Amino acid sequence: MDKIRNEQIRGTVKVEQFGDKAREARLRWFGRVLRRNRGYIGQRMLEMELPGRRRRGRPQRRFMDVVKVDMEMVGVKVEEAVDRARWRQMIHCDFQLLQVTVRDALNQAMDEELERDERVFLLGEEVAQYDGAYKVSRGLWKKYGDKRIIDTPISEMGFAGIAVGAAMAGLRPICEFMTFNFSMQAIDQVINSAAKTCYMSAGLQAVPIVFRGPNGASAGVAAQHSQCFAAWYGHCPGLKVVSPWNSEDARGLLKSAIRDDNPVVVLENELMYGVAFEVSEQGLSKDFTIPIGKAKVERPGNHVTLVSHSRMVGHCLDAAAVLAKEGIECEVINLRTIRPLDVETIEASVVKTNHLITVEGGWPQFGVGAEICARIMEGPAFNYLDAPVIRVTGVDIPMPYAKILEDNSTPQIKDIIFSVKKTLNM
Amino acid sequence: VLKVLLSLSNTARNIDFINGISLCIYGGARLVGSTRSFADFSPQASFDIKKCELHRLDQGPPTQALLTREQGLKYYRTMQTMRRMELKADQLYKQKIIRGFCHLYDGQEACAVGIEAGINPSDHLITAYRAHGYTYTRGVSVKEILAELTGRRGGVAKGKGGSMHMYAKHFYGGNGIVGAQVPLGAGLALACQYKGNNEVCVTLYGDGAANQGQIFESFNMAALWKLPCIFICENNKYGMGTSVERASASTDYFKRGDFIPGLKVDGMDVLTVREATKFAADYCRSGKGPILMELETYRYHGHSMSDPGVSYRTREEIQEVRSKSDPISMLKDRMISNNMASLEEIKEIDVEIRKEIEEAAQFATSDPEPPLEELCNHIFYNEPPMEVRGTNPWSKLKSIS
C-alpha cells in the first residue's frame, strides 16, 4: 500500500492547511475589530475582565491569548492593523508548495529512473527487503522485485566490483554504500576500476555507474562512522562528485547522476534525510534534472560570500538570517557539485562582495575549502578580494562521541557568524 | 632425386610417393612446396586427453577430443602468433622501445586458445595484467597490440593504456590491480543473467591473486545468485617470485571455491582446455551457477620484463617444461603424427607468422606517438567538451570525449 502524505494531496489540489486558514480568519477579524472606532463592543470585549473567581485548574484561554500567539507566528504587531491592505497581505496564508523530505526526494528519483530505464537497478546492503538502512529505498523492492533491487551480503569490495562489471556490460547500476565510511573498503573499485577506465581505454569502455549513500557526520556515531569523503573522491579525475543539500537538489542531482554515462559519486547526508523542503512543481516533474557542475546562489547578498555544500548550506542560510538583522547581507552559494567545481559562480560572487568564506563539515587539510582557496587565488577573482579567503571546517580530529564534544567538532552557526564578522573587520 | 624425395616424404604411402615423383618430374620448381595434395590429410582425429580432477562434480569433461584439420591449423596459427608476438615484445622491451610493465604470456598459449575455442565470441572475458594473449584471441590485431605496447597512436587504446589496459568487444582488459578483475567478472555475469541472453563470462585470475579477499566475496555472491560465471585460475606455479607452496595454505586452487564445483585441467594441452571450457560453459548456461577451473600451466619468462625469472626457479625446470610440455610443440607433433598436417605446411605457417609479426613490429616502431592535443581526451564518455587544468594555472587544456 502506497503511503501518500497529506502534504502531497494538499499540494496537488493547492489547498492550505486548515489550521493556517483558521488563523488567517482570526487575524482578519482581529484587524477589523481594531480598526472600528472606540466604543465598539468588540474592542471593549478584548480587554474585558470578568469579575469573580474562576474555578480551580488551568486558566481558560481567551481570544487574546490565541491571537497573541498567531501574531507572533505570522510576525505582525498590533500597530500594523491600522493599514488594512498591508495587514491583509501580511496575514494571508498561501497554499504551501509541496513539502518533500530529502529521503522521499531520493526515493522518488530512484523510483522514476527505475521506471524510465530498464537497465537501471539498485544494489547494496539492506536495500531490498529491509527498505534501506535509512529507508531511502522504501517500497522499491515491493514494486520492482528481486531482479532490480538486490540485497547484497556484507562485501563492499565484492559488490562494488560487481556493480562496476555490470556497468561495463551496459547496465546502469546504482551501488549504495550504507555509509561512505564503508566505501573505503571498496575504494579501489571506485577509482581504479570505474573512474580511470574510460581514459585508459581511450573511450572504448564506458562505466555508467552511480555510487550513493550518506556521507559525513551523523549524530553520536563516533569516529569510524563520521568521515566526510568529499575531498577524497573530489581529488580524482574520471569521477563526478555531487553533494545535494535540499530535496530539490537530491531529486535533480540523483536523476542527473543516473542518466550520466560516467561514474558519479552522490554524497548524501543522513541528518538531512528527514528534513522537509518545498519543492516547486517543476522540481516534481519526472524529467527534472539539475546539471552536474553548476552551483546555485541560494541567497543573494553583497557584503560577503558564503560557499558551502550539503548540510552546511542550511547553517550558512541560518547565519545569513541572523547577520541580516545586523545589516550584513551574505550571499550564500550551494555548490551542489564538488567535482567538477563551479568556480565561475564563486568568482562572480567574489567580484561583487570582495569577501569569501568556505564552510564544510569535513577536515581542513586538503579539503574542499582548500581547493576553493587555491582556485580563487589562481583566477581573476583574486584581485577583487579585500581579505584572505577564510575556511570554516570541521575540527581536525577524529569525531568524538560525547554530545558536547561532537557538537563542537563541526561548524556551528556561531562559528560562521564569527568568521563573517572577522573577515569584515567588525 | 629419388633419395631427396624419399627423405622428404614422411610416410611410406605409395600414392604420395608417386605423386611426389611426378611433381618432381613435371614441375621441378614445386619441390619447395608440399609434396602432398591436401586431399591426403586426414580431416580429423580423436585424441585422448587427460582426465580432470573434480571437486563437487559427479561428471567431468569428456576424455576424448575431436580435432579437425582446420581447427588444428587454426589453433596452431593462433598459438604460434601469440608466441612470436610475445617474443617480439621481449625484443622491443630490451631495446627500450617498450617501457614500463610488460608481462609476457609465452608458455601459456594453450590456455587462451583453448578457452576461446570453448566459448562464443558473444561471451565475455576479463583477465588480469598478463593479457596480451587474450587481447589477441578476443579479436585485436597484433599490429594494434604491439603499437599499444610501444605507446603509439595506432594502439588499441590509442597509446593511453599500455600493456595492462587493452580492451575489445566483450573483452574487458587487462586489469592492473591484482584480483580486482574477479568481482568485475562476476558483475559481467550478473549483466548476462539480467539481460537473459544466455551468455557467460570467463573471469581469469592467477595463483597469486587466488588469495585475495575480494575473490571469495565474488565466489559467495556468484554462488548465491547463480551467476553464469566461469572462474578460471591460471596456476603457473609462481606469483611473481613466490611459489605456490610459499603463498597458499591450500594449493588446490580448484577446490578453493568451496561450495562452487571445480575442476583441475592440464593447461598445456589446448584440447583439454577446450573440452573443459565447453563443459564449464554448458554448466553455466544451464543456470546451475558459477564453476571454477584451475589451469595448470607455466610461463617461460619471469613475472615481468624486469624479472629474469631464474632467481626463484631453476633453468633446468624451465627447460624441462619447454622440451616436454610446450603447448605448440605438442599440438604440432599430434597433427603431424596423425597425418593432419605436414611439416612443410607448418613451416609455411611459421614463415607467414614471422612476416606478420615483423610487419606489426615495424608499424609499432614507426607509428607516431599520440599527439599532445589528445592528452586530456576521453576522461568522460559522451560528455560535452570541457577544460582541464594543466601543470600550471595558465595551462588550460581541452578535453573532448
Side-chain angles (χ1 to χ4, degrees):
Chain A
M1 204 175 61
D2 257 337
K3 281 197 184 138
I4 306 176
R5 300 187 173 265
N6 289 339
E7 303 90 71
Q8 284 174 286
I9 299 178
R10 274 200 297 271
T12 317
V13 297
K14 300 197 178 38
V15 160
E16 304 82 344
Q17 268 197 314
F18 179 72
D20 295 344
K21 210 55 184 166
R23 183 178 61 236
E24 187 190 325
R26 272 196 301 273
L27 287 172
R28 207 179 319 139
W29 170 253
F30 181 59
R32 192 180 295 145
V33 165
L34 289 177
R35 281 189 293 275
R36 293 287 290 265
N37 46 18
R38 282 212 137 267
Y40 173 58
I41 185 164
Q43 286 204 11
R44 281 191 279 146
M45 300 290 278
L46 284 178
E47 289 112 25
M48 194 168 89
E49 286 282 354
L50 289 173
R53 277 182 68 173
R54 288 183 179 250
R55 54 170 192 272
R56 282 170 69 174
R58 180 175 176 267
Q60 286 227 323
R61 270 205 319 175
R62 292 162 290 180
F63 182 70
M64 276 312 293
D65 297 325
V66 178
V67 163
K68 268 209 188 79
V69 172
D70 286 340
M71 288 199 295
E72 230 175 79
M73 271 188 82
V74 175
V76 289
K77 299 191 189 68
V78 180
E79 302 79 52
E80 290 168 359
V82 178
D83 181 351
R84 179 175 177 272
R86 183 161 163 75
W87 181 256
R88 288 292 295 271
Q89 193 187 50
M90 289 186 73
I91 63 172
H92 181 61
C93 79
D94 224 327
F95 76 89
Q96 279 174 333
L97 288 172
L98 189 49
Q99 292 261 333
V100 181
T101 60
V102 173
R103 175 184 289 117
D104 288 338
L106 294 164
N107 184 287
Q108 284 163 18
M110 284 199 285
D111 192 352
E112 286 161 15
E113 292 306 301
L114 282 158
E115 199 173 10
R116 177 180 176 269
D117 190 339
E118 270 228 325
R119 301 167 297 174
V120 178
F121 69 98
L122 172 66
L123 88 166
E125 293 156 10
E126 311 298 348
V127 295
Q129 299 187 19
Y130 196 79
D131 271 339
Y134 299 99
K135 305 291 181 246
V136 178
S137 53
R138 174 172 39 208
L140 294 179
W141 175 68
K142 232 188 231 166
K143 188 170 171 187
Y144 294 101
D146 282 328
K147 181 179 170 190
R148 318 264 322 263
I149 313 290
I150 305 177
D151 269 338
T152 64
I154 307 176
S155 330
E156 273 75 11
M157 202 169 186
F159 73 70
I162 284 181
V164 175
M168 286 181 173
L171 297 181
R172 303 186 80 91
I174 306 170
C175 177
E176 176 176 308
F177 291 118
M178 199 181 279
T179 74
F180 266 95
N181 301 285
F182 313 139
S183 76
M184 266 202 284
Q185 307 231 297
I187 202 165
D188 173 65
Q189 298 287 2
V190 177
I191 306 298
N192 280 321
S193 303
K196 296 181 184 172
T197 294
C198 187
Y199 186 85
M200 290 194 299
S201 66
L204 283 175
Q205 181 65 64
V207 186
I209 189 170
V210 173
F211 297 100
R212 53 159 288 270
N215 174 58
S218 182
V221 292
Q224 290 179 341
H225 289 72
S226 308
Q227 186 169 338
C228 175
F229 286 84
W232 283 36
Y233 289 116
H235 187 60
C236 303
L239 266 191
K240 298 187 187 181
V241 182
V242 299
S243 183
W245 165 56
N246 63 13
S247 304
E248 202 159 298
D249 288 353
R251 258 183 78 78
L253 289 171
L254 185 53
K255 278 161 112 52
S256 290
I258 296 171
R259 294 182 192 196
D260 200 307
D261 290 331
N262 296 286
V264 184
V265 171
V266 181
L267 302 171
E268 301 159 6
N269 188 297
E270 201 247 313
L271 295 170
M272 297 303 292
Y273 280 155
V275 180
F277 292 92
E278 278 174 4
V279 181
S280 61
E281 212 171 306
Q282 185 207 22
L284 290 169
S285 101
K286 287 207 169 144
D287 282 316
F288 172 70
T289 56
I290 291 180
I292 296 180
K294 276 309 282 161
K296 181 178 177 205
V297 178
E298 296 284 349
R299 181 190 193 282
N302 41 31
H303 294 130
V304 60
T305 303
L306 301 174
V307 178
S308 183
H309 72 98
S310 192
R311 186 155 172 268
M312 293 293 142
V313 175
H315 283 26
C316 287
L317 287 169
D318 291 341
V322 173
L323 287 163
K325 297 209 174 105
E326 298 183 38
I328 304 172
E329 292 300 324
C330 304
E331 178 145 300
V332 177
I333 298 181
N334 174 6
L335 276 176
R336 284 179 161 179
T337 305
I338 305 288
R339 184 174 182 111
L341 199 59
D342 184 1
V343 192
E344 281 85 32
T345 304
I346 308 177
E347 284 176 341
S349 181
V350 168
V351 165
K352 191 170 67 164
T353 66
N354 311 121
H355 298 85
L356 177 58
I357 298 183
T358 68
V359 184
E360 65 191 295
W363 295 318
Q365 201 156 331
F366 304 102
V368 177
E371 175 67 15
I372 295 175
C373 286
R375 298 260 197 122
I376 292 294
M377 274 212 310
E378 288 179 350
F382 174 69
N383 295 313
Y384 290 83
L385 282 174
D386 285 346
V389 180
I390 306 276
R391 297 177 295 163
V392 176
T393 68
V395 178
D396 203 5
I397 51 170
M399 182 67 72
Y401 167 67
K403 187 160 196 329
I404 186 173
L405 298 179
E406 187 184 49
D407 287 344
N408 283 283
S409 301
T410 49
Q412 299 177 40
I413 298 170
K414 62 175 169 67
D415 298 316
I416 305 173
I417 296 174
F418 175 79
S419 302
V420 169
K421 291 193 172 160
K422 270 289 228 188
T423 195
L424 291 174
N425 257 320
M426 301 172 107
Chain B
V1 169
L2 278 169
K3 275 198 186 137
V4 171
L5 280 173
L6 270 165
S7 67
L8 277 173
S9 56
N10 286 357
T11 65
R13 285 178 63 177
N14 295 328
I15 306 168
D16 289 353
F17 194 63
I18 293 169
N19 268 345
I21 293 173
S22 56
L23 270 169
C24 184
I25 293 170
Y26 295 112
R30 301 256 335 267
L31 211 61
V32 182
S34 171
T35 54
R36 292 203 208 116
S37 68
F38 292 129
D40 298 322
F41 289 124
S42 23
Q44 60 187 39
S46 187
F47 294 97
D48 287 326
I49 53 178
K50 226 190 209 170
K51 192 167 186 303
C52 298
E53 230 181 295
L54 301 174
H55 168 70
R56 282 188 194 263
L57 281 169
D58 297 317
Q59 247 194 329
T63 46
Q64 280 224 319
L66 191 67
L67 179 70
T68 68
R69 185 183 127 80
E70 214 180 295
Q71 284 171 344
L73 289 173
K74 187 171 98 174
Y75 301 161
Y76 180 84
R77 186 181 278 273
T78 314
M79 288 202 288
Q80 187 71 289
T81 309
M82 275 163 57
R83 173 69 60 91
R84 298 246 62 92
M85 177 178 76
E86 295 294 78
L87 292 178
K88 178 54 73 177
D90 172 281
Q91 218 179 50
L92 291 172
Y93 195 93
K94 289 181 174 140
Q95 293 174 316
K96 294 202 173 27
I97 301 175
I98 297 180
R99 317 171 309 122
F101 287 132
C102 193
H103 307 90
L104 297 178
Y105 198 65
D106 53 321
Q108 298 184 216
E109 293 86 359
C111 298
V113 175
I115 290 171
E116 191 62 32
I119 57 174
N120 306 323
S122 58
D123 288 322
H124 307 263
L125 191 141
I126 188 170
T127 183
Y129 47 78
R130 204 175 295 281
H132 306 162
Y134 291 100
T135 315
Y136 181 67
T137 54
R138 284 262 107 187
V140 181
S141 67
V142 179
K143 207 167 84 162
E144 281 186 298
I145 295 176
L146 287 179
E148 184 62 33
L149 290 176
T150 55
R152 307 300 165 100
R153 63 178 75 182
V156 60
K158 301 196 174 79
K160 292 227 181 129
S163 166
M164 299 186 291
H165 307 295
M166 301 199 237
Y167 299 81
K169 190 158 189 280
H170 291 214
F171 175 59
Y172 303 86
N175 288 278
I177 308 294
V178 172
Q181 76 277 10
V182 178
L184 294 181
L188 295 164
L190 176 74
C192 295
Q193 188 190 62
Y194 190 99
K195 292 183 192 176
N197 51 22
N198 206 31
E199 289 164 7
V200 297
C201 178
V202 176
T203 306
L204 293 131
Y205 60 97
D207 50 282
N211 296 313
Q212 272 267 316
Q214 54 188 322
I215 293 188
F216 295 94
E217 293 188 11
S218 310
F219 285 166
N220 180 41
M221 285 186 268
L224 197 58
W225 300 330
K226 294 204 168 20
L227 301 180
C229 189
I230 307 174
F231 293 105
I232 301 187
C233 177
E234 280 180 294
N235 180 3
N236 58 19
K237 315 276 186 311
Y238 300 93
M240 203 152 145
T242 309
S243 68
V244 291
E245 295 81 34
R246 289 206 304 128
S248 304
S250 157
T251 54
D252 289 324
Y253 294 105
F254 69 108
K255 290 189 188 165
R256 298 273 226 112
D258 190 10
F259 35 77
I260 296 182
L263 48 151
K264 188 163 165 168
V265 180
D266 175 10
M268 300 306 267
D269 177 5
V270 65
L271 291 176
T272 321
V273 177
R274 183 188 74 181
E275 292 308 311
T277 309
K278 273 197 194 150
F279 174 82
D282 287 337
Y283 183 92
C284 285
R285 276 189 240 275
S286 66
K288 296 197 192 120
I291 191 170
L292 176 52
M293 262 167 61
E294 179 188 339
L295 299 180
E296 279 200 285
T297 182
Y298 200 84
R299 54 167 162 83
Y300 296 146
H301 269 87
H303 163 73
S304 70
M305 285 306 298
S306 54
D307 170 24
V310 286
S311 59
Y312 47 86
R313 52 186 191 174
T314 60
R315 285 186 209 275
E316 288 77 41
E317 182 187 292
I318 306 172
Q319 211 27 55
E320 200 185 325
V321 178
R322 246 192 228 277
S323 53
K324 298 221 181 101
S325 334
D326 183 81
I328 300 176
S329 308
M330 281 201 338
L331 180 64
K332 183 170 97 177
D333 291 340
R334 264 188 172 148
M335 288 193 60
I336 289 178
S337 57
N338 281 276
N339 197 30
M340 291 173 73
S342 72
L343 203 53
E344 295 78 26
E345 202 179 0
I346 302 279
K347 285 213 175 98
E348 240 180 70
I349 296 178
D350 284 350
V351 167
E352 276 167 34
I353 292 174
R354 237 179 251 269
K355 188 154 158 283
E356 187 189 337
I357 304 289
E358 268 314 312
E359 277 170 14
Q362 184 53 35
F363 174 75
T365 45
S366 60
D367 199 37
E369 284 189 296
L372 274 181
E373 293 76 55
E374 294 208 1
L375 179 66
C376 300
N377 288 353
H378 309 301
I379 298 177
F380 290 124
Y381 186 81
N382 196 18
E383 183 84 358
M386 56 185 219
E387 209 175 72
V388 172
R389 187 193 197 273
T391 53
N392 60 64
W394 296 274
S395 161
K396 297 199 204 303
L397 306 169
K398 200 138 170 281
S399 166
I400 52 177
S401 67

